[in-house]
Structures are given as structure tokens and as C-alpha cells.
Amino acid sequence: MNMIDRLIEKNIKVRDIPGWGAYLMKEWEIHFAGHLSEKEKQSIYLSDQDGFGGYLWHLFSYKKRTCLEGEKAEVAFRDQQKQKCFIFFQDTEDALLLENASGFDVKDLSSEVGRDVYVVDKQFRWTFVLTHETDWLGPYFSRR
């Protein structure tokens, strides 16, 4: 079962917001990596540089922001109160807005393994990130 069907089955309202990916990535960067200078962002390949890098989650793998990792991150995400949140992806402009998302869980993202998936509450107070480096790097959970 794909992620959207799984969420709808849980009575979570899912709204497709095409073209919002770049906007949400920039907002995520402002809220979670805003403490870094442009030089620091370049040094961890936070954004694409001549076809290399460009992963927001490098903020966590390079230890530039406090976060929980692995199972601790999954538990924190599961326990986080969720009403409205965005889901966006590193590799596409697609994004989703979830409402009534209290039942949203890590397992709902199982069809997205191998992709970089970012979940953030509507106010960008917390984020949960799955990386394409599953079982090696991530997942990550951080609060602002």
C-alpha cells in the first residue's frame, strides 16, 4: 500500500500541493539551518554544488544541529503531537499537507524507503527526516 492510501485509511486528510517542494526546502533550511553561515552550509554540502551533495539532512549527519538518530528519532516522531504537517522530498517538487495527523507514524512512510523524506509541522518547530541511506544514516528528529 502506498503512503497516501495508508494515510487516508487512517482518516488523515491528505492534500497534494504540487510545486511546493522548493519552497518547503527553503523554509526548512531557514528554520533549521539558519544558524549556519553560507560558508558552513557549503562545507557540509547542504545545497547542490556542481552536481555534488545538496542534502538538507547533512545538517544532522555533519552534527551541525542537535538531533535524535535511529530508533530514538522514530520514538520521538511517534510521540510528537501532530495536527498539521508537511511532507516533502529531496528529489521532487511534490509535497503534501496532512491534517488531523495525530495517527501519522513512521510505518506510514515504509513505501518511501530509499528516498529522502522530510516531515515538518506546519510551524517548522520540529522535523523528522528519513534518508536514502537507510540503516546507515538517519532517521533524524530535531526540534528548533
Side-chain angles (χ1 to χ4, degrees), residues 26 29-30 33-49 56 64:
K26 192 63 181 166
E29 181 181 337
I30 289 167
H35 63 288
L36 299 179
S37 69
E38 287 304 314
K39 185 175 180 177
E40 289 173 306
K41 290 176 185 179
Q42 288 177 359
S43 74
I44 63 170
Y45 308 100
L46 196 70
S47 56
D48 187 40
Q49 297 173 28
L56 295 176
K64 297 296 183 179

Side-chain angles (χ1 to χ4, degrees), residues 5 7 20 23 25 43 45 50 63 87 104-105 113 115:
D5 291 339
L7 294 170
W20 271 50
Y23 167 77
M25 289 178 79
S43 74
Y45 308 100
D50 299 322
K63 310 291 188 211
I87 300 175
F104 181 32
D105 191 73
V113 171
R115 294 180 78 185

